[in-house]
Amino acid sequence: MDISFLGGPAPQRGVGVVAPFDFALDRELWRWVPDDVSLHMTRTPFVPVEVSPDLARMVSEHETLGEAVRTLNAIAPEVVAYACTSGSFVGGTAGEHAMCEPMTWAGAVPSVTTSGALLDALTELGVRRVALVTPYTVSVTRALEAYVAEAGVAVTGCAFMGLTRHIWKVPYRDVADMARRALPAPGAADALFISCTNLPTYDVIPQLEAELWIPVISANQVTMWAALRRLGTPAVGPYQALTDPAARTGPAATGAAGPAVVGPAGPVDTAVAGPVGPAAADMPGVGDGPDTEQQQEGWT
């Protein structure tokens, strides 16, 4: 059989991706990528620390990022993305800008981070009020709130899960439940952001947008959207407002916009909502005060 007419594989453009050592959702990233683009993955070195502000700082050290990007140079990606939300917001907006410098220098190509991509996405969608969903503990969640507020976007609702590991195992139904809890009332936010690149979100985004009537964006989505935009290539994401302009319905209706968070029993007036679910009230430390590190090994 003569197969000479095939002519070999089509040319590919490359996106280098630096991920934390525990990143488990490579396949989800690929779902936003068109067929003529390849992702080239590398990971930061392992450190024996659970998800926390300390881990976020360790996996985002400039030397670590520069070395990771240098491992990608042999395959010559056209852009490099750091796929870690907490690692790129833990130092604030100045820290996020500073992280791009060693990556750009090491790879001699443009670089983006998840948290920088988040702010670009909020600007793209005209968002001034956002609700947040995170799998993190209270301290990491507050760092995200501070990062978004520093950029001039009001946080009008927030819910978190309190997880320190195994985040990639959270099912869609629990992500959707947290999204509903993060919105205190219809019209209270212009968009919802689901944080953490290790939290699965691809299939739940269109469902939540149809239910909540606002754009829903996620960490992996904004990372791929921003990286591909540097290539002049749109991300693949039908029925998602950020990646499919036809899915955009315009600004959300104006409603009550005061700060609000949701705990196990409904809206509360603390800084963030604690872990929710049937077992939350039985967890040690829940209700001990806003500074309590509320953690659980899985999500119920």
Side-chain angles (χ1 to χ4, degrees):
M1 179 179 178
D2 182 11
I3 61 171
S4 60
F5 68 91
L6 294 177
Q12 293 282 296
R13 306 181 72 185
V15 174
V17 179
V18 178
F21 64 89
D22 63 344
F23 181 72
L25 298 182
D26 304 53
R27 183 170 177 80
E28 176 163 286
L29 291 184
W30 277 92
R31 298 183 72 182
W32 277 288
V33 178
D35 289 342
D36 62 344
V37 175
S38 287
L39 299 183
H40 307 300
M41 304 286 298
T42 190
R43 282 168 169 76
T44 61
F46 170 78
V47 290
V49 179
E50 294 184 326
V51 177
S52 63
D54 288 339
L55 177 61
R57 295 184 185 97
M58 294 175 74
V59 297
S60 59
E61 292 176 345
H62 292 187
E63 183 177 349
T64 298
L65 295 180
E67 185 59 32
V69 172
R70 281 189 284 274
T71 67
L72 298 169
N73 285 345
I75 50 179
E78 297 180 49
V79 62
V80 173
Y82 178 46
C84 181
T85 325
S86 60
S88 52
F89 68 60
V90 71
T93 56
E96 189 278 328
H97 290 316
M99 290 174 60
C100 291
E101 295 178 8
M103 291 194 295
T104 298
W105 181 84
V109 294
S111 61
V112 300
T113 72
T114 299
S115 295
L118 163 62
L119 300 186
D120 288 346
L122 294 177
T123 299
E124 171 76 10
L125 296 170
V127 174
R128 302 181 65 182
R129 302 169 304 152
V130 67
L132 304 176
V133 169
T134 90
Y136 313 130
T137 59
V138 62
S139 58
V140 183
T141 301
R142 282 179 171 157
L144 173 59
E145 287 186 303
Y147 175 81
V148 172
E150 185 183 354
V153 178
V155 177
T156 57
C158 183
F160 72 97
M161 298 178 185
L163 302 181
T164 60
R165 53 180 173 171
H166 299 167
I167 291 172
W168 65 91
K169 297 181 180 180
V170 175
Y172 279 153
R173 63 179 177 272
D174 294 335
V175 175
D177 184 56
M178 291 295 291
R180 298 181 189 106
R181 293 172 181 267
L183 287 170
D190 303 323
L192 173 78
F193 174 60
I194 305 173
S195 190
C196 189
T197 54
N198 233 0
L199 189 64
T201 59
Y202 186 92
D203 293 306
V204 80
I205 290 174
Q207 299 176 40
L208 285 174
E209 289 189 334
E211 177 183 338
L212 303 176
W213 284 77
I214 57 174
V216 175
I217 57 178
S218 75
N220 283 332
Q221 181 203 45
V222 299
T223 304
M224 289 296 95
W225 168 80
L228 291 167
R229 191 164 70 155
R230 298 301 192 278
L231 299 183
T233 299
V236 177
Y239 309 110
Q240 300 178 18
L242 180 63
T243 56
D244 182 2
R248 300 181 189 180
T249 58
T254 303
V261 294
V262 181
V268 294
D269 59 2
T270 52
V272 290
V276 297
D282 299 326
M283 291 168 50
V286 173
D288 292 342
D291 294 326
T292 301
E293 279 295 331
Q294 299 171 3
Q295 302 176 358
Q296 63 188 103
E297 188 170 324
W299 168 246
T300 57

